[in-house]
Each structure stands twice: as C-alpha cells, then as structure tokens.
Amino acid sequence: MEQVRVRFAPSPTGYLHIGGARTALFNWLFAQKNGGKFILRIEDTDTARLKEDSVSQILTSLRWLGINWDEGPEQGGEYGPYYQSERQELYLAEAERLVNEGKAYYCFCQPDELEAEREKQRQLGKPYRYTGKCTAIEPAEVERRLQQGQKPVIRLKVPPTGTIIVNDLIHGSVRFQNEQLDDFVIIKSNGMPAYNFACVVDDYAMKITHVMRAEEHLSNTPKQIHIYQALGYSLPAFAHMPMILAPDRSKLSKRHGATSVEEFRGQGFLAPTIINYLALLGWSPKNEQEVLSINEILAEFTLENVSKKAAVYDVKKLTWMNGLYLNSIDIDEISGQAIPFMISQGLISNIDAKDNYDYIKKIVAAVRERVKTLAEVADAAQYFFKDVEYYDAKGIDKYFKKEGTAELLAEGSKRLKQLTDFNLETTERVYRELIEEKNIKGGDIIHPTRLALTGKTMSPGLFDVMVLLGKETCLKRLAAAIRYIDER
RNA sequence: GGCCCUAUGGUCAAGUGGUUAAGACGUCGCCCUCUCAAGGCGAAGUCAGGGGUUCAAUUCCCCUUAGGGCUACCA
C-alpha cells in the first residue's frame, strides 16, 4: 500500500486561526494514525494579500501546539520547494502542456470587459459564465499577441455538460453539474497560478494521498477534478471537514475577539488545552472521556467520527479545560510558562526569575489552583511581589468596618510576632487559639487578615499566604492595615 | 440569483425505526469551607417547521426555513 501523505496548506495572509489549527491537527492526527507523512506547504501565490511575518507566525503557532511537519519550510523534504511562489516553472510547464494538448487556452480578455459582462448577466438574472470568446483564436494570432507583450491568462476548457461526483470521506458522494462551471482561469496574467491549479499540481507532485481541508473547499473540488483529469493525474481521496464558526455563527474574523492561536497563547491558554479543545470541535471519541492528551486523541481518532456540522467555539469551555490542564501539568513546566506573564506584568525581572525560581514556583503552586489561565496566575501572584497599595472596596465594607477588627488584628499580629518558627502549623495554631479564646468565628479574623495581607478578598489558604509572605512582611502589612482602619 | 453542504438544549456533542434522548461546558440550587476555586449532590433546558413512508419516526424521503460555503486573474 502506498504511504499516506497529507498536507496542511495555509495562505500566509495573517495569523494561524483556530480553524486552520484544527485542520492542521486533523491532518497531523491522520498522518500519525496511518504511519504517514504530514506536509506543510505555503500557498503564497496571491502577491497582493501576502503579509510580512505571516509564515513565521504560522510556523511558530504550529510548533507551539506540537504539530510538527515531516516536510515543509525549515524542514525540507524531497518534494520541495514547499513555497508555491518557488514552484512557478512547474505550474507554467503544466499549463502550457494543457494548451498544447488543446485542453486549455490563452485568454486576452481584460478584467474590465469581463466585469461589465458579469454585471450585464447579473442584471438579466442569469448566472454568469465566461463566454469562451478566446477559445477560437488562431495559434499564430496568439503568438503575435504574445510577441506584442500582451499578458493573457490561461483558462481550462471545461466540458459544457456532464457530472462530476466528489467522493468525500466525510460527506459521501456529492454531485456537481458541469453546466454550473465555466472555463476558469488556471494561470493569472502575472504568471502566477490560480489557487485551484497550483493546489492540484502540487498535491499530485507531492504525492498527496488524502486531501483533507475545510468544507469551504468542497465547492472547489469539481473544478480541481477537471484539472486532475485534464492533466491525466490520478485522484487523491478527499475529506472536507466542518468549519469553525464564531459565536454568532458567522465566519471567524478579527471582530470576534481572540481567534488566532497566538492570541489564545497570549491570554495564557496552554497548548495541550488548545489541542484537546480543538479536537473536540468536530470530532468526538467513542467513549465519554473529554479530557484527552494528544496521545489519547491519537489512539481514538478516526475520520468516521468527524462531524459534518460546523461548530461554534466556546471560550467558557476552553477556559474550564485550561484550568484543568493548568493544575495537572508538572509544576516546573507551569512555572516556566507563567514567568513570562509575571515579567510582562512587571512583577519580577529576568534575574528574579532565575535567582528566586524556587520561591516563584511555590507561589505558582499556591495560586494556580484557583485560576484558569497563566495570565490569571500572574494576576493572582501580584501581592507576593508588590506591596498592598489598596484594599478591595467591598472587602473594606465587609471586613474592616466591623467593631474591634483592628484590635483583633493587633492581637493576631502580636502572637505571630512571638513565633520563632513561622510555618503552616504554627501560624494556624496561633490563630485558632485566638479564635477559641475570643469565642469568635474563624472568619472574623481570617477575612480581615487576608484583606490586610493581600488587599483582596480571595486568595489561597490564609496560612499558606502567611508562610509564603514571611513573618516580616506579614507583620508589616498587618500594622499597615491597623493604621488604615484607625485612620478612618 | 444559481449550485453545494449542514440542521439533537445557550455551546460542544452521543445516539437509535420502538430509549426515561447520554455526557461535558455554562446556568441555578444545596453540601463542603477561612475567601475564591476545586470537589460532591441535585435541577432546569433539545430532536427547526410542515408533509409523507411505516404498526411506530428524533432516526428514512420530500418541501420549507435557517446557517454556512462556492459562484474572482483570493486562497
């Protein structure tokens, strides 16, 4: 059996969005599952829409997600180059072959005349199709115009009747009538191949066995099949996977907030979360398990379980899942990833990150249990690195205004001060004794103390916070809080 | 407009010609508790509408509707 070869072929017009990432993931999974190769190809034939840095952004996102390619940019391979802009000769050669075989022809029509014709047909309520006007131009005349320096396009001759059946691995067989098609452009006047043509030529040249892409390409497939047939190529298998839609069910775009992998990364989502969540969008395992490592996904993955229905992504569920990963992944790994967030929030410096790593790690460990993203880890870690500048307004009302609070804090402070060994056990014991003696509820002193120490109404367990902060800092902040209450 | 795809709770989604139509996120209660998370327990909430076929349709067929895609010298 021939080796499975699949590809992901992004166009470098921006960041890698989650729909693209999911397509890449499914291709990657399919390749792994079948012992095949996953190829990355850059479709950069639209010179007008190219964006600087887009390729490196896409590569960075894929690598961060752990989706590695066997052949492609920065990786090489025997079917390169993997940038379409570098494969122009091949496209031109194949297109000219079609012209010589009478299966394609030069067309000298100008864009504006075409547009005018299109508009006319639209007003008549008729579907527009190219008239085929240039089909009849004599070879000598073609030659003459080329000599003159005219820049024609090349169009494929499409049979006026007949049916193309696309056998899709996900959608089954889908029929398209040739009458719907016209003689479409395969080489643009600037010499660049049009998408459908480059795609077919490359998929064949790169020995792609399974073309798996987003559903938006299903309607392009009959055109591509015409190209395969004209070129005398054998057909690959096709699988069109459902699209990922924005929450309002429209196509993903910038106005929908975060849609790119980089944005989610910047918000503190973890790669395994994104992989896991994306896998669940459009695919579901046979069993009920939803939290799956990439290896578990791999073990379960089949095209049969891929849905036909477009899916809307839900940041809430993504966030929930991220919380799970944040707390199950090795603490060193999480700390390492949280540090850049702490640095960018100005909590620590690069030097601190090295010198105080063990301390930072303890803080991350304490704090991560109650947050969901790396950005939130940094938020929640603030008061370990900076003085408390203000107290939460609701907290003041709730905990600082009660009669006798300052005295209680003073008493707690006094007892903490006497501790020579300042640890989890001793700090809690001192407080519990105080609570016992005063016959108050634990919260009566714990809450104001938390507010004094952190400025917030929520934090890790109070005694964990105390120990992490250290005796000196605790006493200092308690004193500051007492002063604050007294001054009011 | 033409052609194509799709249609199970707010979202993801399992599922079948006969089921009390799973599960997850979210939401709402309750429990636990030093706060917040987490966790535990429980609740509300779905087969888009209309026709067929059938003893029986959420499931099969048709229409309508809705959403999405293609209809470019974009990919």
Side-chain angles (χ1 to χ4, degrees):
Chain A
M1 218 181 92
E2 68 181 330
Q3 187 185 43
V4 165
R5 291 173 59 82
V6 296
R7 85 313 194 266
F8 174 57
S11 177
T13 53
Y15 294 99
L16 178 66
H17 64 76
I18 55 173
R22 210 261 326 250
T23 301
L25 173 63
F26 282 14
N27 272 283
W28 183 90
L29 287 167
F30 188 79
Q32 299 297 314
K33 188 83 186 181
N34 294 287
K37 298 279 192 225
F38 173 62
I39 291 112
L40 181 62
R41 181 175 74 220
I42 305 299
E43 308 217 328
D44 54 351
T45 55
D46 183 0
T47 42
R49 291 204 315 159
L50 292 187
K51 285 225 182 74
E52 195 80 10
D53 290 342
S54 179
V55 171
S56 67
Q57 284 292 351
I58 291 170
L59 302 191
T60 300
S61 293
L62 287 172
R63 284 207 179 95
W64 178 69
L65 288 170
I67 301 175
N68 298 309
W69 50 101
D70 300 300
E71 295 171 25
E74 299 181 8
Q75 177 75 24
E78 50 180 312
Y79 297 92
Y82 294 91
Y83 286 83
Q84 289 191 327
S85 57
E86 296 171 18
R87 301 170 63 82
Q88 220 175 337
E89 281 176 39
L90 212 210
Y91 309 128
L92 252 23
E94 287 298 76
E96 277 163 16
R97 178 161 71 84
L98 291 180
V99 172
N100 292 335
E101 291 173 2
K103 293 170 178 168
Y105 57 90
Y106 287 97
C107 167
F108 295 88
C109 297
Q110 292 304 303
D112 50 343
E113 6 175 345
L114 259 19
E115 186 47 50
E117 179 66 18
R118 210 189 326 266
E119 186 53 37
K120 203 169 109 193
Q121 295 301 323
R122 197 181 359 248
Q123 282 179 2
L124 290 172
K126 287 185 182 170
Y128 168 76
R129 302 216 304 284
Y130 177 64
T131 54
K133 174 172 147 195
C134 293
T135 343
I137 303 177
E138 293 297 322
E141 171 67 7
V142 168
E143 196 51 40
R144 194 184 63 79
R145 295 195 193 182
L146 288 176
Q147 292 295 328
Q148 274 182 1
Q150 290 191 33
K151 298 269 185 250
V153 299
I154 297 179
R155 289 181 184 272
L156 184 77
K157 281 185 190 167
V158 176
T161 59
T163 307
I164 290 287
I165 297 175
V166 178
N167 287 309
D168 188 275
L169 263 19
I170 292 170
H171 294 276
S173 54
V174 184
R175 312 168 74 90
F176 295 89
Q177 301 301 322
N178 287 170
E179 299 135 46
Q180 297 297 325
L181 266 30
D182 66 354
D183 291 352
F184 57 89
V185 173
I186 57 176
I187 298 287
K188 306 184 232 175
S189 57
N190 65 1
M192 282 298 208
Y195 162 71
N196 285 304
F197 190 67
C199 178
V200 168
V201 169
D202 283 343
D203 283 339
Y204 183 77
M206 293 180 179
K207 294 199 161 55
I208 301 302
T209 57
H210 299 257
V211 172
M212 312 203 308
R213 73 239 300 192
E215 193 189 307
E216 56 185 321
H217 294 297
L218 182 55
S219 302
N220 284 319
T221 310
K223 287 187 190 173
Q224 296 187 9
I225 289 179
H226 277 113
I227 296 172
Y228 276 100
Q229 290 178 345
L231 252 11
Y233 293 169
S234 55
L235 247 40
F238 292 101
H240 289 91
M241 36 198 73
M243 312 217 359
I244 294 180
L245 267 25
D248 64 357
R249 292 220 146 260
S250 69
K251 209 173 167 179
L252 244 33
S253 76
K254 344 85 227 122
R255 77 194 151 84
H256 296 112
T259 57
S260 75
V261 171
E262 278 314 300
E263 285 170 288
F264 284 111
R265 181 184 184 179
Q267 289 179 10
F269 288 92
L270 302 159
T273 308
I274 307 271
I275 291 285
N276 192 160
Y277 185 72
L278 251 27
L280 257 24
L281 238 39
W283 171 82
S284 62
K286 275 291 165 205
N287 60 38
E288 286 186 0
Q289 195 183 345
E290 286 204 307
V291 181
L292 303 143
S293 69
I294 191 140
N295 287 326
E296 289 171 316
I297 293 167
L298 200 45
E300 291 271 332
F301 187 81
T302 63
L303 241 33
E304 286 72 51
N305 292 337
V306 172
S307 152
K308 297 177 188 170
K309 186 184 149 194
V312 172
Y313 71 95
D314 177 17
V315 179
K316 288 220 187 79
K317 186 161 183 176
L318 213 214
T319 304
W320 162 78
M321 190 174 273
N322 203 59
L324 257 32
Y325 279 97
L326 191 65
N327 283 286
S328 63
I329 291 172
D330 176 76
I331 185 64
D332 279 302
E333 178 65 32
I334 295 298
S335 302
Q337 292 195 39
I339 283 170
F341 286 84
M342 294 177 164
I343 292 175
S344 76
Q345 285 201 18
L347 302 183
I348 58 173
S349 67
N350 271 305
I351 298 146
D352 295 330
K354 284 204 181 64
D355 295 352
N356 298 322
Y357 178 72
D358 287 337
Y359 180 58
I360 290 168
K361 186 166 115 179
K362 280 182 193 162
I363 288 165
V364 173
V367 136
R368 70 166 170 175
E369 287 178 35
R370 39 214 16 110
V371 300
K372 310 251 194 260
T373 65
L374 293 171
E376 288 170 3
V377 166
D379 285 340
Q382 275 184 25
Y383 50 81
F384 288 108
F385 302 102
K386 294 163 104 172
D387 283 337
V388 173
E389 283 164 7
Y390 53 86
Y391 302 106
D392 178 272
K394 280 197 192 119
I396 293 171
D397 288 343
K398 251 170 132 176
Y399 305 128
F400 276 180
K401 290 193 172 165
K402 199 169 171 183
E403 199 63 32
T405 298
E407 291 70 25
L408 221 41
L409 291 179
E411 183 60 26
S413 177
K414 194 179 114 196
R415 297 187 183 203
L416 288 172
K417 192 175 182 180
Q418 287 163 359
L419 289 173
T420 47
D421 207 358
F422 198 82
N423 61 35
L424 226 44
E425 195 258 326
T426 56
T427 50
E428 173 149 18
R429 197 185 64 224
V430 160
Y431 257 52
R432 293 292 173 200
E433 282 168 4
L434 181 56
I435 290 160
E436 186 83 11
E437 284 171 29
K438 300 272 183 189
N439 196 24
I440 52 175
K441 282 188 290 183
D444 291 341
I445 183 165
I446 286 174
H447 294 316
T449 302
R450 166 175 290 110
L451 190 59
L453 261 27
T454 68
K456 295 174 188 298
T457 57
M458 60 184 96
S459 80
L462 182 66
F463 305 105
D464 295 275
V465 172
M466 283 187 182
V467 174
L468 246 18
L469 244 24
K471 186 173 167 181
E472 293 314 309
T473 305
C474 286
L475 297 180
K476 216 171 71 195
R477 291 188 184 177
L478 248 7
I482 292 164
R483 222 177 303 127
Y484 176 88
I485 295 171
D486 286 344
E487 282 167 9
R488 284 178 69 94

